[in-house]
Amino acid sequence: MRARLLEATVELLVERGFAGTSTTLVSERAGVSRGAQLHHFPTKNDLVVAAVEHLTERRGAELAAAVAELPAGGRRTRAVVEMLGDHFSSPVFAAALELWVAARTDAELLAAVGPLEQRVGREAHRMTVAALGADESRPGVRELVQATLDLVRGLGLASTITDDSARRRRILREWADVLDKELAPCRSPR
Amino acid sequence: MRARLLEATVELLVERGFAGTSTTLVSERAGVSRGAQLHHFPTKNDLVVAAVEHLTERRGAELAAAVAELPAGGRRTRAVVEMLGDHFSSPVFAAALELWVAARTDAELLAAVGPLEQRVGREAHRMTVAALGADESRPGVRELVQATLDLVRGLGLASTITDDSARRRRILREWADVLDKELAPCRSPR
DNA sequence: GAACAAAAAGTCAGGCTTGACTGTTTGTTT
DNA sequence: AAACAAACAGTCAAGCCTGACTTTTTGTTC
């Protein structure tokens, strides 16, 4: 029942945004009575904060699953960045974005979302480093991985109102080529 | 008077977000009566759409001013990307972000914000190409400039809830070095 | 089997926001 | 100078959202 409420909350975040996600709508969508909802989550903030955590777990699981299915061979870097690009253009990202923006002007929400997102960010970083087989001990490598994640975040933001996947693919392909050159373990390119 | 209303709208977008920007607050902040406001902007959407246009002009002007003040010499690429990074971490970006996210789930708003943001994006692209002195006829260069803009957008998004400017600088510095290598006109690095 | 606690269901009032309506001032034209 | 139009000012009712309160059902323990 908790799960149903959280799922409904995430759905409504994607469809109607944070402001459009009223607690009444959530209880209706989840098929849960208003009283039951208020029993589990006394206030809207409680509900949404719990939804953040739920969402975080889903994001982590989806990322891990996507990494596991990566092809081993040749164009691995391209596959990794395309996977990241897809992930950060998914509805899951849209829901997270709603929370992110809402938290910017809501101190209570920020206190809950901030640390969580930081944790997810670190995990995504670890995963990406592992997936790319990058050597973080080399100077600059860590920054380029971070840049990759910030890039897909920016692309994801753009995709929420203009979904130009062809443009995204071209950019990520070029980025992957740059990464391949910069991350190559031998023959320092500098 | 229109200008005061629009300024107040932008301020409130930054401070309280889209949902927190009520028309009543705007009229109070602008020192304009409710009736006067409704005379100029019959609905909230009218007001906010006009604010988008106003904001767009300000963004354009700020970008142009920043470009004009760039040092000519040595580390020009670094200066350009740092300038972009600063710009996309400013309150102006926060206001635009609010509108962006609100437009995602509001068709009427999307119709107004979409084309506008596209125009601004193109202009930013042209400016960046000019500032970097990039040769867009070479394959991949265009994509790398786009990637740079999407990267700063992603960094700006991150900065709205966690303003880690040191991290941003490190990342942009590294990226600037990569850009210098990739955009160098002679000796194709591929 | 009865009693008690916890979960779920329904109702409702208070507060806020929006936009419509009516009155007042200012400026321009004849 | 008068009349008319446009901008401006204030008020208000309808609608929605939130969260508190009351009642009913379910499950567990004695």
Side-chain angles (χ1 to χ4, degrees), chain B residues 14-43:
Chain B
V14 173
E15 287 175 24
R16 306 204 169 193
F18 181 82
T21 301
S22 81
T23 56
T24 317
L25 273 177
V26 170
S27 56
E28 283 174 8
R29 168 84 53 118
V32 167
S33 79
R34 188 123 181 76
Q37 179 190 42
L38 290 169
H39 173 73
H40 286 291
F41 309 102
T43 94

Side-chain angles (χ1 to χ4, degrees), chain B residues 15 81 83 102:
Chain B
E15 287 175 24
V81 296
M83 179 201 87

Side-chain angles (χ1 to χ4, degrees), chain B residues 7-79:
Chain B
E7 285 292 336
T9 305
V10 171
E11 281 177 24
L12 283 170
L13 280 175
V14 173
E15 287 175 24
R16 306 204 169 193
F18 181 82
T21 301
S22 81
T23 56
T24 317
L25 273 177
V26 170
S27 56
E28 283 174 8
R29 168 84 53 118
V32 167
S33 79
R34 188 123 181 76
Q37 179 190 42
L38 290 169
H39 173 73
H40 286 291
F41 309 102
T43 94
K44 181 181 181 181
N45 265 332
D46 289 334
L47 174 62
V48 177
V49 166
V52 182
E53 300 208 33
H54 185 230
L55 198 60
T56 299
E57 285 171 23
R58 266 182 60 182
R59 279 179 68 175
E62 288 186 13
L63 263 179
V67 165
E69 285 177 6
L70 273 185
R75 289 258 172 270
R76 184 167 176 90
T77 304
R78 274 197 191 181

Side-chain angles (χ1 to χ4, degrees), chain B residues 34-176:
Chain B
R34 188 123 181 76
Q37 179 190 42
L38 290 169
H39 173 73
H40 286 291
F41 309 102
T43 94
K44 181 181 181 181
N45 265 332
D46 289 334
L47 174 62
V48 177
V49 166
V52 182
E53 300 208 33
H54 185 230
L55 198 60
T56 299
E57 285 171 23
R58 266 182 60 182
R59 279 179 68 175
E62 288 186 13
L63 263 179
V67 165
E69 285 177 6
L70 273 185
R75 289 258 172 270
R76 184 167 176 90
T77 304
R78 274 197 191 181
V80 171
V81 296
E82 276 185 10
M83 179 201 87
L84 286 172
D86 290 343
H87 182 72
F88 280 77
S89 304
S90 69
V92 183
F93 174 74
L97 179 62
E98 290 287 339
L99 289 166
W100 217 334
V101 172
R104 189 183 71 84
T105 51
D106 183 329
E108 193 181 341
L109 214 51
L110 184 60
V113 174
L116 215 55
E117 199 61 33
Q118 209 169 0
R119 220 182 62 203
V120 179
R122 277 195 237 281
E123 199 165 335
H125 185 88
R126 260 198 310 276
M127 271 189 188
T128 309
V129 168
L132 290 174
D135 175 12
E136 272 200 307
S137 66
R138 284 178 49 204
V141 165
R142 181 176 174 76
E143 280 73 20
L144 286 182
V145 173
Q146 289 180 321
T148 303
L149 287 169
D150 283 307
L151 170 62
V152 291
R153 199 172 290 149
L155 286 169
L157 178 55
S159 79
T160 58
I161 68 169
T162 314
D163 195 3
D164 189 345
S165 57
R167 172 181 179 276
R168 199 165 61 234
R169 275 187 61 160
R170 266 186 287 122
I171 292 174
L172 287 179
R173 201 165 261 237
E174 204 63 36
W175 178 243

